[in-house]
Coordinates of all heavy atoms in Angstrom, one line a residue:
M1 N -23.9 13.3 75.3 CA -23.0 14.1 74.4 C -21.7 13.4 74.2 O -21.0 12.9 75.1 CB -22.7 15.5 75.1 CG -23.8 16.4 75.3 SD -24.2 17.3 73.8 CE -24.1 19.0 74.5
K2 N -21.4 13.3 72.9 CA -20.2 12.6 72.5 C -19.2 13.6 71.9 O -19.6 14.4 71.1 CB -20.5 11.5 71.4 CG -20.2 10.1 71.8 CD -20.5 9.2 70.7 CE -20.0 7.8 71.0 NZ -20.4 6.8 69.9
K3 N -17.9 13.5 72.3 CA -16.9 14.4 71.8 C -16.7 14.0 70.3 O -16.6 12.8 70.0 CB -15.6 14.2 72.5 CG -15.4 15.1 73.7 CD -14.0 15.0 74.2 CE -13.8 16.0 75.3 NZ -12.5 15.8 76.0
T4 N -16.5 15.0 69.5 CA -16.3 14.8 68.1 C -15.5 16.0 67.5 O -15.3 17.0 68.1 CB -17.6 14.5 67.3 OG1 -17.3 14.1 66.0 CG2 -18.5 15.7 67.3
T5 N -15.1 15.8 66.2 CA -14.5 16.9 65.5 C -15.3 17.2 64.2 O -15.6 16.3 63.5 CB -13.0 16.6 65.1 OG1 -12.3 16.2 66.3 CG2 -12.3 17.7 64.5
F6 N -15.7 18.5 64.1 CA -16.4 18.9 62.9 C -15.5 19.5 61.9 O -14.4 20.0 62.3 CB -17.5 19.9 63.3 CG -18.5 19.4 64.3 CD1 -18.4 19.8 65.6 CD2 -19.5 18.5 63.9 CE1 -19.3 19.3 66.6 CE2 -20.4 18.0 64.9 CZ -20.3 18.4 66.2
K7 N -15.9 19.5 60.7 CA -15.1 20.2 59.6 C -15.9 21.4 59.2 O -17.0 21.2 58.6 CB -14.8 19.3 58.5 CG -13.7 19.7 57.6 CD -12.6 18.7 57.6 CE -11.3 19.3 56.9 NZ -10.2 18.4 56.8
I8 N -15.4 22.6 59.4 CA -16.1 23.8 59.0 C -15.2 24.7 58.1 O -14.1 25.1 58.6 CB -16.6 24.7 60.3 CG1 -17.5 23.8 61.2 CG2 -17.3 25.9 59.9 CD1 -17.8 24.4 62.5
E9 N -15.7 24.9 56.9 CA -14.9 25.8 56.0 C -13.5 25.2 55.8 O -12.5 26.0 55.7 CB -14.9 27.2 56.4 CG -16.3 27.8 56.7 CD -16.7 28.7 55.6 OE1 -16.0 29.0 54.7 OE2 -17.9 29.1 55.7
G10 N -13.3 23.9 55.9 CA -12.0 23.3 55.8 C -11.2 23.3 57.0 O -10.0 22.9 57.0
H11 N -11.7 23.8 58.1 CA -11.0 23.8 59.4 C -11.6 22.9 60.4 O -12.8 22.6 60.4 CB -11.0 25.2 60.0 CG -10.4 26.3 59.1 ND1 -9.1 26.5 58.9 CD2 -11.1 27.3 58.4 CE1 -8.9 27.5 58.1 NE2 -10.1 28.0 57.8
K12 N -10.7 22.3 61.3 CA -11.2 21.4 62.3 C -11.8 22.2 63.5 O -11.2 23.2 63.9 CB -10.0 20.6 62.8 CG -9.7 19.4 62.0 CD -8.7 18.5 62.7 CE -8.1 17.5 61.7 NZ -6.9 16.8 62.3
C13 N -12.9 21.8 63.9 CA -13.6 22.4 65.1 C -14.0 21.3 66.0 O -14.8 20.4 65.7 CB -14.8 23.3 64.6 SG -15.5 24.2 66.0
R14 N -13.5 21.3 67.3 CA -13.9 20.3 68.2 C -15.3 20.7 68.7 O -15.7 21.8 68.7 CB -12.9 20.3 69.4 CG -11.5 19.7 69.0 CD -10.5 20.0 70.1 NE -10.1 21.4 70.0 CZ -9.2 21.9 70.8 NH1 -8.6 21.1 71.8 NH2 -8.8 23.2 70.8
G15 N -15.9 19.6 69.2 CA -17.3 19.8 69.7 C -17.9 18.6 70.2 O -17.2 17.6 70.4
W16 N -19.2 18.6 70.4 CA -19.9 17.4 70.9 C -21.2 17.2 70.1 O -21.8 18.1 69.6 CB -20.4 17.7 72.3 CG -19.2 18.0 73.3 CD1 -18.6 17.1 74.1 CD2 -18.6 19.3 73.5 NE1 -17.6 17.7 74.8 CE2 -17.6 19.0 74.4 CE3 -18.8 20.6 73.0 CZ2 -16.7 20.1 74.9 CZ3 -17.9 21.6 73.5 CH2 -16.9 21.3 74.4
K17 N -21.5 15.9 69.9 CA -22.7 15.5 69.2 C -23.6 14.9 70.2 O -23.3 14.0 71.0 CB -22.3 14.5 68.1 CG -23.3 14.5 67.0 CD -22.7 13.9 65.7 CE -23.6 14.1 64.5 NZ -23.6 15.5 64.0
C18 N -24.9 15.3 70.2 CA -25.9 14.8 71.1 C -26.7 13.7 70.4 O -26.9 13.7 69.2 CB -26.8 15.9 71.6 SG -27.9 15.3 72.9
E19 N -27.3 12.8 71.2 CA -28.2 11.8 70.6 C -29.4 12.4 69.9 O -30.0 11.8 69.0 CB -28.6 10.8 71.7 CG -27.5 9.8 72.0 CD -27.9 9.0 73.2 OE1 -29.1 8.8 73.5 OE2 -26.9 8.5 73.9
C20 N -29.8 13.6 70.3 CA -31.0 14.2 69.7 C -30.6 14.8 68.4 O -31.5 15.3 67.7 CB -31.5 15.3 70.7 SG -30.5 16.8 70.7
G21 N -29.4 14.8 68.0 CA -29.0 15.3 66.7 C -28.4 16.7 66.7 O -27.9 17.2 65.7
E22 N -28.4 17.3 67.9 CA -27.9 18.7 68.0 C -26.3 18.7 68.2 O -25.8 17.8 68.9 CB -28.5 19.4 69.2 CG -28.4 20.9 69.1 CD -29.4 21.6 70.0 OE1 -30.6 21.4 69.7 OE2 -28.9 22.2 71.0
D23 N -25.7 19.6 67.5 CA -24.2 19.7 67.6 C -23.9 20.9 68.5 O -24.5 22.0 68.4 CB -23.6 20.0 66.2 CG -23.9 18.8 65.3 OD1 -24.0 17.7 65.8 OD2 -23.9 19.0 64.0
T24 N -22.9 20.8 69.3 CA -22.4 21.9 70.1 C -20.9 22.1 69.7 O -20.1 21.1 69.7 CB -22.5 21.6 71.6 OG1 -23.9 21.3 71.8 CG2 -22.1 22.8 72.4
L25 N -20.5 23.3 69.3 CA -19.2 23.6 68.9 C -18.4 24.1 70.1 O -18.9 24.8 71.0 CB -19.1 24.7 67.8 CG -19.9 24.3 66.5 CD1 -19.8 25.5 65.6 CD2 -19.3 23.1 65.9
Y26 N -17.1 23.8 70.2 CA -16.2 24.3 71.2 C -15.9 25.7 70.8 O -15.3 26.0 69.8 CB -14.9 23.4 71.2 CG -13.9 23.8 72.2 CD1 -14.1 24.0 73.5 CD2 -12.6 24.1 71.7 CE1 -13.1 24.4 74.4 CE2 -11.6 24.5 72.6 CZ -11.8 24.6 73.9 OH -10.8 25.0 74.8
T27 N -16.3 26.7 71.6 CA -16.3 28.1 71.3 C -14.9 28.6 70.8 O -14.9 29.3 69.8 CB -16.8 28.9 72.5 OG1 -18.0 28.4 72.9 CG2 -17.0 30.4 72.1
P28 N -13.8 28.3 71.5 CA -12.5 28.9 71.0 C -12.2 28.4 69.6 O -11.7 29.2 68.8 CB -11.5 28.3 72.0 CG -12.3 28.1 73.3 CD -13.6 27.6 72.8
D29 N -12.5 27.2 69.3 CA -12.2 26.7 67.9 C -13.1 27.4 66.9 O -12.7 27.8 65.8 CB -12.5 25.2 67.8 CG -11.4 24.4 68.5 OD1 -10.5 25.0 69.0 OD2 -11.5 23.1 68.5
A30 N -14.4 27.6 67.3 CA -15.4 28.2 66.4 C -15.0 29.7 66.1 O -15.1 30.2 65.0 CB -16.8 28.1 67.0
Q31 N -14.5 30.4 67.2 CA -14.1 31.8 67.0 C -12.9 31.9 66.1 O -12.8 32.8 65.3 CB -13.8 32.4 68.4 CG -15.1 32.8 69.1 CD -14.8 33.3 70.6 OE1 -13.8 32.9 71.2 NE2 -15.7 34.1 71.1
K32 N -12.0 31.0 66.3 CA -10.8 31.0 65.5 C -11.1 30.9 64.0 O -10.6 31.5 63.1 CB -9.9 29.8 65.9 CG -8.4 30.1 65.7 CD -7.6 28.9 66.3 CE -6.1 29.2 66.4 NZ -5.4 28.1 67.0
I33 N -12.1 30.0 63.7 CA -12.5 29.7 62.3 C -13.2 31.0 61.8 O -13.0 31.4 60.6 CB -13.4 28.5 62.2 CG1 -12.6 27.2 62.5 CG2 -14.1 28.4 60.9 CD1 -13.4 26.0 62.8
L34 N -14.0 31.6 62.6 CA -14.7 32.9 62.2 C -13.6 33.9 61.8 O -13.8 34.6 60.8 CB -15.5 33.4 63.3 CG -16.9 32.9 63.5 CD1 -17.6 33.4 64.7 CD2 -17.8 33.1 62.2
I35 N -12.6 34.1 62.6 CA -11.6 35.1 62.3 C -10.8 34.7 61.1 O -10.6 35.6 60.2 CB -10.6 35.2 63.6 CG1 -11.4 35.9 64.7 CG2 -9.4 36.1 63.2 CD1 -10.7 35.8 66.1
L36 N -10.4 33.5 60.9 CA -9.7 33.0 59.7 C -10.5 33.3 58.5 O -10.0 33.7 57.5 CB -9.3 31.6 59.8 CG -8.2 31.2 60.8 CD1 -8.0 29.7 60.9 CD2 -6.9 31.8 60.4
N37 N -11.8 33.0 58.6 CA -12.7 33.2 57.5 C -12.8 34.7 57.1 O -12.8 35.1 56.0 CB -14.0 32.7 57.8 CG -14.7 32.1 56.6 OD1 -14.0 31.5 55.7 ND2 -16.0 32.2 56.5
K38 N -12.9 35.5 58.2 CA -13.0 37.0 58.0 C -11.7 37.5 57.2 O -11.8 38.3 56.3 CB -13.1 37.7 59.3 CG -13.3 39.1 59.2 CD -13.5 39.7 60.6 CE -13.4 41.3 60.6 NZ -13.3 41.8 62.0
I39 N -10.5 37.1 57.7 CA -9.3 37.7 57.1 C -9.1 37.1 55.7 O -8.4 37.7 54.9 CB -8.1 37.6 58.0 CG1 -7.6 36.2 58.2 CG2 -8.4 38.3 59.3 CD1 -6.4 36.1 59.1
K40 N -9.6 35.9 55.5 CA -9.5 35.3 54.1 C -10.2 36.1 53.1 O -9.8 36.3 51.9 CB -10.0 33.9 54.2 CG -9.6 33.0 53.0 CD -10.1 31.6 53.2 CE -11.3 31.4 52.3 NZ -11.9 30.1 52.6
H41 N -11.3 36.7 53.5 CA -12.2 37.5 52.6 C -11.7 38.9 52.5 O -12.3 39.7 51.8 CB -13.6 37.3 52.9 CG -14.2 36.0 52.7 ND1 -14.5 35.6 51.4 CD2 -14.3 34.9 53.5 CE1 -14.9 34.3 51.5 NE2 -14.8 33.9 52.7
G42 N -10.7 39.3 53.3 CA -10.2 40.6 53.2 C -10.8 41.6 54.2 O -11.9 41.5 54.6
V43 N -9.9 42.5 54.7 CA -10.3 43.5 55.7 C -9.8 44.8 55.1 O -8.7 44.9 54.7 CB -9.7 43.3 57.1 CG1 -10.0 44.4 58.0 CG2 -10.1 41.9 57.7
S44 N -10.7 45.8 55.0 CA -10.2 47.1 54.4 C -9.6 48.0 55.4 O -10.0 48.1 56.6 CB -11.4 47.7 53.7 OG -11.6 49.0 54.1
V45 N -8.4 48.5 55.1 CA -7.7 49.5 56.0 C -7.5 50.8 55.2 O -7.4 50.8 54.0 CB -6.4 48.9 56.5 CG1 -6.6 47.7 57.4 CG2 -5.4 48.6 55.4
K46 N -7.3 51.9 56.0 CA -7.2 53.2 55.4 C -5.7 53.5 55.3 O -4.9 53.2 56.3 CB -7.9 54.2 56.3 CG -8.4 55.4 55.5 CD -9.3 56.2 56.4 CE -9.9 57.4 55.7 NZ -10.9 58.1 56.5
V47 N -5.3 54.2 54.3 CA -3.9 54.7 54.2 C -3.8 55.9 55.1 O -4.6 56.9 54.9 CB -3.5 55.0 52.7 CG1 -2.1 55.5 52.6 CG2 -3.6 53.7 51.9
G48 N -2.8 55.9 55.9 CA -2.6 57.1 56.8 C -1.3 57.8 56.4 O -0.6 57.4 55.4
E49 N -0.9 58.7 57.2 CA 0.4 59.5 57.0 C 1.2 59.6 58.2 O 0.6 59.8 59.3 CB 0.0 60.9 56.5 CG 1.0 61.5 55.7 CD 0.5 62.9 55.1 OE1 -0.6 63.3 55.5 OE2 1.3 63.5 54.3
L50 N 2.5 59.4 58.1 CA 3.4 59.5 59.2 C 4.6 60.3 58.7 O 5.4 59.7 58.0 CB 3.7 58.2 59.8 CG 4.5 58.2 61.1 CD1 3.7 58.7 62.3 CD2 5.1 56.8 61.5
G51 N 4.8 61.5 59.0 CA 5.8 62.3 58.5 C 5.7 62.4 57.0 O 4.6 62.8 56.5
E52 N 6.7 62.0 56.2 CA 6.6 62.0 54.8 C 6.1 60.7 54.2 O 5.9 60.6 53.0 CB 8.1 62.2 54.2 CG 8.7 63.5 54.7 CD 8.5 64.7 53.8 OE1 8.9 64.7 52.6 OE2 7.8 65.6 54.3
S53 N 5.9 59.7 55.0 CA 5.5 58.4 54.5 C 4.0 58.1 54.6 O 3.3 58.7 55.5 CB 6.2 57.3 55.3 OG 7.6 57.5 55.3
L54 N 3.5 57.3 53.7 CA 2.2 56.8 53.8 C 2.2 55.5 54.5 O 3.1 54.7 54.3 CB 1.6 56.6 52.4 CG 1.4 57.9 51.6 CD1 0.8 57.6 50.3 CD2 0.5 58.9 52.4
I55 N 1.3 55.3 55.4 CA 1.3 54.0 56.2 C 0.0 53.3 56.2 O -1.1 54.0 56.1 CB 1.7 54.3 57.7 CG1 0.7 55.3 58.4 CG2 3.1 54.9 57.8 CD1 0.8 55.3 59.9
I56 N 0.0 52.0 56.4 CA -1.2 51.3 56.7 C -1.0 50.5 58.0 O 0.2 50.1 58.3 CB -1.6 50.3 55.5 CG1 -0.5 49.3 55.2 CG2 -2.1 51.1 54.3 CD1 -1.1 48.1 54.4
R57 N -2.0 50.2 58.7 CA -1.9 49.4 59.9 C -2.4 48.0 59.7 O -3.3 47.7 58.9 CB -2.8 50.0 61.0 CG -2.4 51.4 61.4 CD -3.4 52.0 62.4 NE -3.2 53.4 62.6 CZ -2.3 53.9 63.5 NH1 -1.6 53.1 64.2 NH2 -2.2 55.2 63.6
F58 N -1.8 47.0 60.4 CA -2.3 45.7 60.4 C -3.5 45.5 61.3 O -3.4 45.8 62.5 CB -1.2 44.7 60.9 CG -0.2 44.4 59.9 CD1 1.1 45.0 60.0 CD2 -0.4 43.6 58.8 CE1 2.1 44.7 59.1 CE2 0.6 43.3 57.9 CZ 1.9 43.9 58.1
P59 N -4.7 45.1 60.8 CA -5.8 44.8 61.8 C -5.4 43.7 62.8 O -4.6 42.9 62.5 CB -6.9 44.3 60.8 CG -6.5 44.8 59.5 CD -5.0 44.8 59.4
K60 N -5.9 43.8 64.0 CA -5.5 42.9 65.0 C -5.7 41.4 64.7 O -5.0 40.6 65.2 CB -6.1 43.3 66.4 CG -7.6 43.0 66.6 CD -8.0 43.2 68.0 CE -9.3 42.7 68.4 NZ -10.4 42.9 67.6
E61 N -6.7 41.2 63.8 CA -7.0 39.8 63.4 C -5.8 39.2 62.7 O -5.4 38.0 62.9 CB -8.2 39.7 62.5 CG -9.5 40.0 63.1 CD -9.9 41.4 63.1 OE1 -9.0 42.3 62.8 OE2 -11.1 41.7 63.4
F62 N -5.1 40.0 61.9 CA -3.9 39.6 61.2 C -2.7 39.5 62.1 O -2.0 38.5 62.1 CB -3.5 40.6 60.1 CG -4.4 40.5 58.9 CD1 -5.6 41.2 58.8 CD2 -4.1 39.7 57.8 CE1 -6.5 41.1 57.7 CE2 -4.9 39.6 56.7 CZ -6.1 40.3 56.6
V63 N -2.6 40.4 63.0 CA -1.5 40.4 64.0 C -1.5 39.1 64.8 O -0.5 38.5 65.0 CB -1.6 41.6 65.0 CG1 -0.6 41.5 66.1 CG2 -1.4 42.9 64.2
E64 N -2.8 38.7 65.2 CA -2.9 37.5 66.0 C -2.7 36.3 65.2 O -2.0 35.4 65.6 CB -4.3 37.5 66.8 CG -4.2 38.5 67.9 CD -5.6 38.9 68.4 OE1 -6.6 38.3 68.0 OE2 -5.7 39.9 69.2
A65 N -3.3 36.2 64.0 CA -3.3 35.0 63.2 C -1.9 34.8 62.7 O -1.4 33.6 62.6 CB -4.2 35.1 62.0
Y66 N -1.1 35.8 62.4 CA 0.2 35.7 61.9 C 1.3 36.0 62.9 O 2.5 36.0 62.5 CB 0.4 36.5 60.6 CG -0.4 36.0 59.4 CD1 -1.7 36.5 59.2 CD2 0.1 35.0 58.6 CE1 -2.5 36.0 58.2 CE2 -0.6 34.5 57.5 CZ -1.9 35.0 57.3 OH -2.7 34.5 56.3
K67 N 0.9 36.2 64.1 CA 1.9 36.5 65.2 C 2.9 37.6 64.8 O 4.1 37.4 64.9 CB 2.6 35.2 65.6 CG 1.6 34.2 66.2 CD 2.3 32.9 66.6 CE 1.4 31.9 67.3 NZ 0.1 31.6 66.6
I68 N 2.4 38.7 64.3 CA 3.2 39.8 63.8 C 3.6 40.6 65.1 O 2.8 40.9 65.9 CB 2.5 40.7 62.8 CG1 2.1 39.8 61.6 CG2 3.4 41.8 62.3 CD1 1.0 40.5 60.7
K69 N 4.9 41.0 65.1 CA 5.4 41.8 66.3 C 6.1 43.0 65.7 O 6.7 43.0 64.6 CB 6.3 41.0 67.2 CG 5.6 39.9 68.0 CD 6.5 39.3 69.0 CE 5.7 38.2 69.8 NZ 5.4 37.0 68.9
K70 N 6.2 44.0 66.6 CA 6.9 45.2 66.3 C 8.4 44.8 66.0 O 9.0 44.0 66.8 CB 6.8 46.2 67.4 CG 7.5 47.5 67.2 CD 7.5 48.4 68.4 CE 8.4 49.6 68.2 NZ 8.6 50.4 69.4
G71 N 9.0 45.4 65.0 CA 10.4 45.0 64.6 C 10.5 43.9 63.6 O 11.6 43.7 63.1
N72 N 9.4 43.1 63.5 CA 9.4 42.1 62.4 C 9.6 42.7 61.1 O 9.3 43.8 60.8 CB 8.1 41.3 62.4 CG 7.9 40.3 63.5 OD1 6.8 39.8 63.7 ND2 9.0 40.0 64.3
K73 N 10.3 41.9 60.2 CA 10.4 42.4 58.8 C 9.4 41.7 58.0 O 9.1 40.5 58.1 CB 11.8 42.0 58.3 CG 12.8 43.1 58.7 CD 14.1 42.9 57.9 CE 15.0 44.1 58.2 NZ 16.3 43.9 57.6
V74 N 8.7 42.4 57.1 CA 7.8 41.8 56.1 C 8.3 42.1 54.7 O 9.0 43.1 54.5 CB 6.3 42.3 56.3 CG1 5.8 42.0 57.7 CG2 6.2 43.8 56.1
M75 N 7.9 41.4 53.8 CA 8.3 41.6 52.4 C 7.1 42.0 51.5 O 6.0 41.3 51.5 CB 8.8 40.2 51.9 CG 9.2 40.2 50.4 SD 10.7 41.1 50.1 CE 11.8 39.6 49.8
L76 N 7.2 43.1 50.9 CA 6.2 43.6 50.0 C 6.6 43.3 48.5 O 7.7 43.4 48.2 CB 6.1 45.1 50.1 CG 5.7 45.7 51.4 CD1 5.5 47.2 51.3 CD2 4.4 45.1 52.0
R77 N 5.6 42.8 47.8 CA 5.9 42.4 46.4 C 4.8 42.7 45.5 O 3.6 42.5 45.9 CB 6.2 40.9 46.4 CG 6.9 40.4 45.2 CD 7.5 39.0 45.4 NE 6.4 38.1 45.6 CZ 6.2 37.0 44.9 NH1 7.0 36.6 44.0 NH2 5.1 36.2 45.2
L78 N 5.1 43.3 44.3 CA 4.1 43.6 43.4 C 3.4 42.3 42.9 O 4.1 41.4 42.4 CB 4.7 44.3 42.2 CG 3.7 44.7 41.1 CD1 2.9 45.9 41.5 CD2 4.5 45.1 39.8
K79 N 2.1 42.2 42.9 CA 1.4 41.1 42.5 C 0.7 41.3 41.1 O 0.6 40.5 40.3 CB 0.3 40.7 43.5 CG 0.6 39.5 44.4 CD 1.2 38.4 43.8 CE 0.6 37.1 44.1 NZ 1.4 35.9 43.7
D80 N 0.2 42.6 41.0 CA -0.6 43.0 39.9 C -0.6 44.5 39.9 O 0.0 45.1 40.8 CB -2.1 42.5 40.2 CG -2.7 41.9 39.0 OD1 -2.5 42.5 37.9 OD2 -3.5 40.9 39.1
S81 N -1.2 45.1 38.9 CA -1.2 46.5 38.8 C -1.9 47.2 40.0 O -1.7 48.3 40.3 CB -1.8 47.0 37.5 OG -3.2 46.6 37.4
N82 N -2.8 46.4 40.7 CA -3.5 46.9 41.8 C -3.5 46.0 43.0 O -4.3 46.0 43.9 CB -5.0 47.3 41.5 CG -5.8 46.1 41.1 OD1 -5.2 45.0 40.9 ND2 -7.1 46.2 41.1
K83 N -2.4 45.1 43.1 CA -2.3 44.2 44.2 C -0.9 44.1 44.7 O 0.1 44.0 43.9 CB -2.7 42.8 43.7 CG -4.2 42.4 44.0 CD -4.4 41.0 43.7 CE -5.9 40.9 43.5 NZ -6.3 39.8 42.5
I84 N -0.7 44.2 46.0 CA 0.6 44.1 46.7 C 0.5 42.9 47.6 O -0.5 42.8 48.4 CB 0.9 45.3 47.4 CG1 1.1 46.5 46.5 CG2 2.2 45.1 48.2 CD1 1.2 47.9 47.2
E85 N 1.4 42.0 47.6 CA 1.5 40.9 48.5 C 2.4 41.2 49.6 O 3.5 41.7 49.4 CB 2.0 39.6 47.7 CG 2.1 38.4 48.5 CD 2.7 37.3 47.6 OE1 4.0 37.3 47.5 OE2 2.0 36.4 47.1
I86 N 2.0 40.8 50.8 CA 2.8 41.0 52.0 C 3.1 39.7 52.6 O 2.3 38.9 52.9 CB 2.1 41.9 53.1 CG1 1.7 43.2 52.5 CG2 3.0 42.0 54.3 CD1 1.0 44.1 53.5
S87 N 4.4 39.3 52.6 CA 4.8 38.0 53.2 C 5.4 38.3 54.6 O 6.2 39.2 54.8 CB 5.9 37.4 52.4 OG 5.5 37.2 51.1
V88 N 4.9 37.5 55.6 CA 5.4 37.7 57.0 C 6.3 36.6 57.4 O 6.2 35.5 56.8 CB 4.2 37.9 58.0 CG1 3.4 39.1 57.6 CG2 3.3 36.7 57.9
Ligands
ZN1 ZN1 -29.6 16.9 72.8

């Protein structure tokens, strides 16, 4: 087994290449890529209610990927008639 770096969906993934031709991925890297890929394609969340306000929650994949914490400020911006951009 030889240490190597693979390119998956544009991301680097460490792993090993065997002489038999089989590749083994380093699990933490592979999992990170899966999560990034998932959030790139979008995650649907439901609009809730808190008092008089409507609220949405950040899925944990976003919280971890963007290191969002309670008290952080985010910027909401109109992107389109049906799109809102959130900058963290
Ligand atoms: Zn092998």
Side-chain angles (χ1 to χ4, degrees):
M1 294 279 238
K2 238 185 175 173
K3 267 192 180 173
T4 186
T5 304
F6 302 102
K7 197 123 191 182
I8 301 170
E9 307 256 354
H11 302 286
K12 276 186 193 169
C13 184
R14 288 168 287 180
W16 300 266
K17 203 163 194 70
C18 184
E19 283 172 24
C20 75
E22 199 162 294
D23 297 334
T24 305
L25 303 176
Y26 176 57
T27 309
D29 286 359
Q31 277 173 337
K32 212 175 189 179
I33 293 165
L34 277 176
I35 291 166
L36 287 173
N37 214 35
K38 183 180 170 190
I39 67 179
K40 196 175 102 188
H41 291 280
V43 175
S44 126
V45 294
K46 208 171 184 177
V47 177
E49 200 175 10
L50 187 69
E52 302 269 296
S53 304
L54 295 179
I55 60 164
I56 58 163
R57 295 174 193 276
F58 283 105
K60 74 171 193 314
E61 292 89 348
F62 284 85
V63 171
E64 284 161 12
Y66 289 92
K67 297 176 172 55
I68 303 165
K69 287 189 182 71
K70 184 185 169 189
N72 282 169
K73 277 195 173 172
V74 299
M75 173 78 105
L76 300 182
R77 199 163 61 125
L78 178 75
K79 259 315 231 195
D80 222 321
S81 60
N82 63 347
K83 266 186 202 147
I84 297 169
E85 180 185 79
I86 302 177
S87 305
V88 295

